[in-house]
Amino acid sequence: MSTILFHEIVFGPIHSRRLGSSLGMNLLPYDGKLCSFDCIYCECGYNKDFRTKTKLPDRDNVKAALEDKLIQLQKDEVAIDVITFAGNGEPTMHPQFAGIIDDTIELRNIYFPNAKISVLSNAMHAGKQTVFDALKKVDNNILKLDSAILDTVRLIDRPNSPEYSIEKQIALFKRFEGDFIMQTMFLKGSHNGKIVDNTTEREVSAWLEAVRATNPKEIMIYTIDRETPEKNLEKVSLDELKKIAIRAEKLGIKVSVSG
Ligand code: SF4
């Protein structure tokens, strides 16, 4: 069983391939995982293997933990580029997510005014007005779209809502009017006897169409970096990622590639 669970509310700073020196924020249980997706590549493992009855940390505790950490980092003269909401699942599922973002902005402005605030989200809850408004306030609103083909999303990301639809997600993305970063994991392999490959021409064409329709300010393309719960997965080569990036750049969008 593979897993990297974060056992604290605030962790790091760690070096992030995509974001630099990143102070991590985990709003999910410290001893389990909570997500509305169940991606076959999730570094936290499958949802079923990490169920927990532990409560989510409340807003006051999150604020206190973050402030303590920022004071300590200042004292130790450790610089951070970004405060990143990720952790053991989907951060926007926390019922006090909006208030926590307000607190984080307040503390960032006091202690590390140059640090950015990033949220890595599967975008499933962006339709909730409080979540939408909070995501609008952060510097890097990073929303996942691994494929624009429903069967592939059901195979790779496995959203737990039977109502998940690509059209609905695209409509949600459009509401940000370009003020978001799209993140896409490219990978190959197999899962439950089915081929996994979101780099085929059919996949990339559909994905580019979704990119064009939603017009993100930036795209982050990446591939597997660590152990995955599905073992039959492999990295996509840097060369292939770059070819996909070039096609997206032709739409006038900045693309970063992490191989
Ligand atoms: S959306 Fe993120 S946290 Fe949720 S299962 Fe997928 S990779 Fe894991």
Side-chain angles (χ1 to χ4, degrees), residues 27-28 34 36 56 85-86 89-98 101 119-128 130-132 134-135 141-143:
L27 304 185
L28 291 315
L34 184 66
S36 42
L56 305 179
F85 287 80
E90 172 54 37
T92 64
M93 288 174 78
H94 194 294
Q96 296 170 306
F97 176 73
I101 289 296
V119 177
L120 294 167
S121 171
N122 64 21
M124 273 299 286
H125 310 278
K128 191 173 163 189
T130 54
V131 171
F132 176 81
L135 290 173
N141 166 27
I142 306 173
L143 305 178

Side-chain angles (χ1 to χ4, degrees), residues 28 33-47 86-91 93 120-124 144 146 156-158 183 185 222:
L28 291 315
K33 181 190 165 196
L34 184 66
C35 191
S36 42
F37 276 9
D38 196 12
C39 302
I40 59 175
Y41 60 79
C42 181
E43 291 170 2
C44 298
Y46 287 133
N47 295 351
N88 300 335
E90 172 54 37
M93 288 174 78
L120 294 167
S121 171
N122 64 21
M124 273 299 286
K144 185 187 292 294
D146 288 338
I156 296 178
D157 300 318
R158 310 194 309 163
Q183 56 167 337
M185 158 73 83
Y222 59 117

